[in-house]
Amino acid sequence: MGDHAFTASLLRASSKGFAGLVATQMFETEPSTVQTAGFDAWQAHANRQVLALASAVEDEAPELFSAAVAWSRDAFVGRRVSPDGLALSLKCLEGVLEESLPRHAWAILPEYFLRAREALEDGGTHASPEVERVGALFDLSQRYLDTLVAGDEQRAVDLIREALDTDQLSVHALIDAVLVPAQRELGRRWHVGELSVSDEHLATQATRKVLALALAKAPRVRQRQRTVIVAALAGDTHDIALAFVAAHFELDGWRTLFLGADTPTDDLVSFVVRHQADLVALGATLDEQRAKIADTVRALREARPALRIVVGGAAYASRQDLWLRSGADAYAVDAAAAVKKGLELVGA
């Protein structure tokens, strides 16, 4: 095991302990900062920081840790919360790790903290809206999004139903040009504090209804006699993007078993074996979930050697080679690409 892998394993194994020390140091240094959000909240934040650092170290990519810090900064600024607490948390984490880790393990980390401090001092990413002009579908995309944000779920569903009934769009176009960009924009607005968790949840549930409606109306296609299982692993509560992936496989004639979010690895392995799956599509949202994906891929291969596996999601999007450490057979940038890769892998 190399120094990077060793350091990453130490960080993961002791993340909660390090987080407790960080929150304690923060409280001792600036109690007013900690008391505003609460000790438990800062401890949870520090734990996420440690796990993000572990993932970046494992991939030997300081820019991934700085990106995670920048993501937190943007969320704070968007909610009009001072990022001073983030700076204090980062400083305390650096001190805790320098004091706690073996010398050769700590020697890797100064560059990661330097890049993170630079990201924290930056003015922000200024993320642009996700719904962009997509030809004739732009108006529908924008109206659908606006209706969701207004909380009018029924009207949002009716907009899509009317478009489907009048043949204004195909189901594939609905997913790729309306629902996907709308969900990304909803996520962006939540991240910068423009929408609450409840707002985002309401909109996502409406999108699930729309997707089910569209699939029910889709024309029947020739069945491929191939089985794909689509899932996010335990700890990953985000699965709407995977619902789009599952929909694309279903539209292509696959026997599609969509398990959704938070699927335990042992259950997934037994399910794959029981249903004799040809392909598994796994999604990961957060950087720290890449390690769990890699462990799961190994378990799946041991249980079913002929199985083919494709991975995707935001956890792999920042660098083209990140997916290679997963041990999967391919990476898919979106739902359509997942089907294309799947067909290539299983020879359907």
Side-chain angles (χ1 to χ4, degrees):
M1 180 182 290
D3 285 348
H4 284 81
F6 175 72
T7 302
S9 67
L10 283 181
L11 291 171
R12 286 198 184 97
S14 303
S15 65
K16 292 182 179 178
F18 291 145
L21 292 173
V22 169
T24 299
Q25 281 198 13
M26 290 179 67
F27 184 80
E28 292 173 348
T29 304
E30 295 184 21
S32 59
T33 298
V34 177
Q35 288 168 348
T36 301
F39 183 92
D40 290 345
W42 279 111
Q43 185 174 15
H45 168 77
N47 187 57
R48 291 191 296 271
Q49 269 197 326
V50 175
L51 293 175
L53 177 59
S55 296
V57 169
E58 187 169 56
D59 289 306
E60 302 183 29
E63 70 274 12
L64 297 183
F65 184 53
S66 62
V69 171
W71 189 92
S72 296
R73 176 209 57 212
D74 290 350
F76 274 52
V77 172
R79 289 162 174 78
R80 294 180 174 82
V81 176
S82 171
D84 291 348
L86 290 176
L88 177 61
S89 175
L90 190 65
K91 179 180 179 181
C92 290
L93 176 59
E94 187 173 10
V96 165
L97 295 182
E98 183 175 11
E99 183 177 343
S100 303
L101 291 174
R103 185 175 299 277
H104 69 285
W106 163 252
I108 294 169
L109 300 182
E111 181 183 0
Y112 289 77
F113 282 98
L114 174 62
R115 298 279 289 272
R117 287 194 298 272
E118 291 173 348
L120 194 56
E121 294 166 1
D122 195 343
T125 58
H126 308 295
S128 58
E130 291 285 350
V131 174
E132 300 176 353
R133 294 190 178 277
V134 285
L137 293 178
F138 170 73
D139 182 59
L140 179 60
S141 300
Q142 193 63 55
R143 285 189 292 133
Y144 178 70
L145 176 63
D146 291 344
T147 306
L148 289 178
V149 171
D152 192 344
E153 177 184 346
Q154 188 57 56
R155 179 55 184 155
V157 174
D158 288 345
L159 280 172
I160 302 304
R161 181 184 287 111
E162 291 165 7
L164 290 169
D165 288 345
T166 56
D167 296 324
Q168 294 180 35
L169 78 168
S170 68
V171 179
H172 285 94
L174 167 67
I175 295 171
D176 296 339
V178 178
L179 301 185
V180 169
Q183 283 300 133
R184 286 176 176 166
E185 173 62 5
L186 287 164
R188 186 195 70 83
R189 293 189 189 185
W190 167 81
H191 178 55
V192 299
E194 295 177 11
L195 296 176
S196 70
V197 172
S198 297
D199 292 328
E200 187 275 329
H201 282 189
L202 175 68
T204 298
Q205 293 309 313
T207 293
R208 293 184 193 280
K209 290 183 180 181
V210 165
L211 185 59
L213 172 68
L215 290 174
K217 289 178 173 291
R220 296 184 63 83
V221 297
R222 179 181 63 85
Q223 299 302 295
R224 292 187 177 276
Q225 307 305 314
R226 295 288 192 176
T227 297
V228 59
I229 294 173
V230 183
L233 299 181
D236 191 343
T237 59
H238 302 84
D239 69 352
I240 189 63
L242 285 173
F244 299 144
V245 172
H248 267 270
F249 275 108
E250 185 175 335
L251 291 168
D252 195 60
W254 293 64
R255 178 187 177 223
T256 305
L257 305 177
F258 177 43
L259 304 187
D262 210 20
T263 306
T265 293
D266 290 347
D267 284 1
L268 174 62
V269 171
S270 62
F271 192 85
V272 165
V273 172
R274 187 163 74 250
H275 289 278
Q276 298 293 287
D278 301 289
L279 179 73
V280 169
L282 298 175
T285 305
L286 303 176
D287 288 352
E288 54 262 33
Q289 290 157 353
R290 289 197 298 269
K292 187 171 291 186
I293 290 276
D295 291 342
T296 300
V297 168
R298 285 191 290 271
L300 287 168
R301 293 209 186 284
E302 183 176 346
R304 186 164 170 77
L307 181 71
R308 294 295 176 259
I309 304 167
V310 60
V311 297
Y316 297 103
S318 59
R319 211 174 74 182
Q320 292 184 350
D321 63 341
L322 286 177
W323 73 272
L324 293 172
R325 288 184 181 271
S326 72
D329 297 293
Y331 164 73
V333 67
D334 56 28
V339 175
K340 181 179 179 181
K341 294 290 185 181
L343 292 173
E344 294 171 355
L345 291 171
V346 305

